[in-house]
Protein backbone atom coordinates (compact mmCIF):
# COMPACT_ATOMS: atom_id res chain seq x y z
CA UNK A 1 0.00 0.00 0.00
CA UNK A 2 0.98 3.64 -0.34
CA UNK A 3 2.61 5.26 2.67
CA UNK A 4 2.46 9.03 3.05
CA UNK A 5 4.92 11.04 5.12
CA UNK A 6 4.02 14.66 5.84
CA UNK A 7 6.26 17.41 7.12
CA UNK A 8 6.48 21.18 7.41
CA UNK A 9 3.84 21.98 10.00
CA UNK A 10 4.47 24.11 13.03
CA UNK A 11 3.73 27.34 14.84
CA UNK A 12 3.77 30.57 12.87
CA UNK A 13 2.64 34.14 13.49
CA UNK A 14 -0.18 35.71 11.46
CA UNK A 15 1.14 36.86 8.11
CA UNK A 16 3.86 34.24 8.11
CA UNK A 17 4.47 31.36 5.74
CA UNK A 18 4.87 27.59 5.87
CA UNK A 19 5.58 24.97 3.24
CA UNK A 20 4.05 21.54 3.74
CA UNK A 21 5.33 18.49 1.93
CA UNK A 22 4.00 14.98 1.42
CA UNK A 23 6.09 12.09 0.13
CA UNK A 24 4.46 8.93 -1.20
CA UNK A 25 6.14 5.54 -1.33
CA UNK A 26 5.19 1.93 -1.94
CA UNK A 27 2.40 2.65 -4.40
CA UNK A 28 0.77 -0.19 -6.27
CA UNK A 29 -0.65 1.89 -9.11
CA UNK A 30 0.03 5.29 -10.66
CA UNK A 31 -1.01 8.21 -8.48
CA UNK A 32 -3.31 10.43 -10.51
CA UNK A 33 -4.81 12.78 -7.94
CA UNK A 34 -3.33 14.62 -4.98
CA UNK A 35 -4.91 16.91 -2.43
CA UNK A 36 -4.51 18.72 0.87
CA UNK A 37 -7.31 18.73 3.43
CA UNK A 38 -7.52 20.34 6.83
CA UNK A 39 -9.57 19.85 9.96
CA UNK A 40 -9.90 22.18 12.92
CA UNK A 41 -11.16 20.96 16.32
CA UNK A 42 -14.92 20.44 16.27
CA UNK A 43 -15.15 21.15 12.55
CA UNK A 44 -15.62 19.02 9.46
CA UNK A 45 -12.60 18.13 7.37
CA UNK A 46 -12.46 20.33 4.29
CA UNK A 47 -10.66 20.24 0.97
CA UNK A 48 -8.03 22.97 0.79
CA UNK A 49 -6.44 22.34 -2.61
CA UNK A 50 -5.99 19.60 -5.16
CA UNK A 51 -3.98 18.85 -8.28
CA UNK A 52 -4.06 16.23 -11.02
CA UNK A 53 -1.56 14.86 -13.53
CA UNK A 54 -2.22 17.69 -15.96
CA UNK A 55 -1.40 20.13 -13.13
CA UNK A 56 -4.91 21.50 -13.04
CA UNK A 57 -5.56 22.92 -9.56
CA UNK A 58 -8.50 23.89 -7.36
CA UNK A 59 -8.57 25.87 -4.13
CA UNK A 60 -10.86 26.55 -1.22
CA UNK A 61 -12.18 30.10 -1.66
CA UNK A 62 -10.71 31.30 1.63
CA UNK A 63 -7.16 30.34 0.63
CA UNK A 64 -7.15 31.51 -2.99
CA UNK A 65 -4.24 33.81 -3.69
CA UNK A 66 -2.47 32.71 -0.50
CA UNK A 67 -1.90 28.94 -0.91
CA UNK A 68 -0.31 27.07 -3.81
CA UNK A 69 -0.38 23.31 -4.35
CA UNK A 70 2.28 21.72 -6.52
CA UNK A 71 4.04 18.47 -7.27
CA UNK A 72 7.53 17.60 -8.49
CA UNK A 73 9.31 14.90 -10.49
CA UNK A 74 9.83 12.79 -7.36
CA UNK A 75 6.06 12.70 -6.79
CA UNK A 76 6.20 14.83 -3.69
CA UNK A 77 3.22 17.09 -3.08
CA UNK A 78 3.62 20.55 -1.61
CA UNK A 79 1.41 23.20 -0.13
CA UNK A 80 2.97 26.65 0.04
CA UNK A 81 1.02 28.74 2.52
CA UNK A 82 1.56 32.50 2.60
CA UNK A 83 -0.07 35.28 4.60
CA UNK A 84 -1.34 32.79 7.14
CA UNK A 85 -4.32 33.72 9.28
CA UNK A 86 -5.48 32.36 12.66
CA UNK A 87 -8.42 30.69 10.93
CA UNK A 88 -5.93 28.55 9.00
CA UNK A 89 -5.08 26.73 12.22
CA UNK A 90 -5.85 23.04 11.73
CA UNK A 91 -4.38 19.63 11.17
CA UNK A 92 -3.46 19.36 7.50
CA UNK A 93 -3.74 16.01 5.75
CA UNK A 94 -2.28 14.83 2.47
CA UNK A 95 -4.41 12.56 0.29
CA UNK A 96 -3.40 10.73 -2.86
CA UNK A 97 -5.50 8.54 -5.12
CA UNK A 98 -4.04 5.73 -7.18
CA UNK A 99 -5.70 3.71 -9.88
CA UNK A 100 -8.05 1.14 -8.44
CA UNK A 101 -9.17 3.63 -7.29
CA UNK A 102 -7.57 3.60 -3.86
CA UNK A 103 -7.40 6.56 -1.48
CA UNK A 104 -4.47 6.99 0.86
CA UNK A 105 -4.24 9.48 3.73
CA UNK A 106 -1.33 10.77 5.71
CA UNK A 107 -1.39 11.07 9.50
CA UNK A 108 -1.61 14.85 9.37
CA UNK A 109 0.62 17.71 10.45
CA UNK A 110 -0.41 20.48 12.84
CA UNK A 111 -0.39 24.07 11.63
CA UNK A 112 -0.95 26.70 14.31
CA UNK A 113 -1.21 30.40 13.43
CA UNK A 114 -1.02 32.56 16.53
CA UNK A 115 0.79 35.57 17.94
Amino acid sequence: QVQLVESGGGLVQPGGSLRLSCAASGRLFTIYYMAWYRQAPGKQRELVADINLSDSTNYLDSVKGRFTISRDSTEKIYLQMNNLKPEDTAVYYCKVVQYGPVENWGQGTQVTVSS
Side-chain angles (χ1 to χ4, degrees):
Q1 69 274 38
V2 171
Q3 295 180 339
L4 301 179
V5 179
E6 297 159 303
S7 62
L11 175 64
V12 65
Q13 293 188 330
S17 298
L18 286 173
R19 183 177 174 86
L20 306 183
S21 64
C22 175
S25 63
R27 71 178 189 273
L28 184 61
F29 300 106
T30 299
I31 294 170
Y32 67 91
Y33 176 85
M34 297 136 279
W36 286 96
Y37 286 74
R38 69 185 182 187
Q39 187 168 24
K43 296 184 179 179
Q44 186 177 8
R45 186 174 298 184
E46 62 183 353
L47 176 65
V48 177
D50 60 21
I51 188 169
N52 62 22
L53 293 182
S54 67
D55 289 324
S56 177
T57 59
N58 298 285
Y59 295 93
L60 182 67
D61 284 345
S62 62
V63 308
K64 287 181 179 177
R66 299 189 298 120
F67 291 10
T68 303
I69 187 171
S70 62
R71 63 186 183 91
D72 65 19
S73 61
T74 67
E75 295 191 317
K76 290 183 178 179
I77 307 101
Y78 303 94
L79 185 68
Q80 178 67 46
M81 304 184 293
N82 297 325
N83 192 24
L84 283 161
K85 304 177 182 296
E87 52 263 42
D88 295 319
T89 296
V91 177
Y92 284 71
Y93 298 89
C94 175
K95 183 182 84 171
V96 304
V97 182
Q98 60 183 347
Y99 287 114
V102 178
E103 294 185 356
N104 299 271
W105 292 84
Q107 292 298 306
T109 184
Q110 177 71 48
V111 172
T112 302
V113 185
S114 179
S115 298

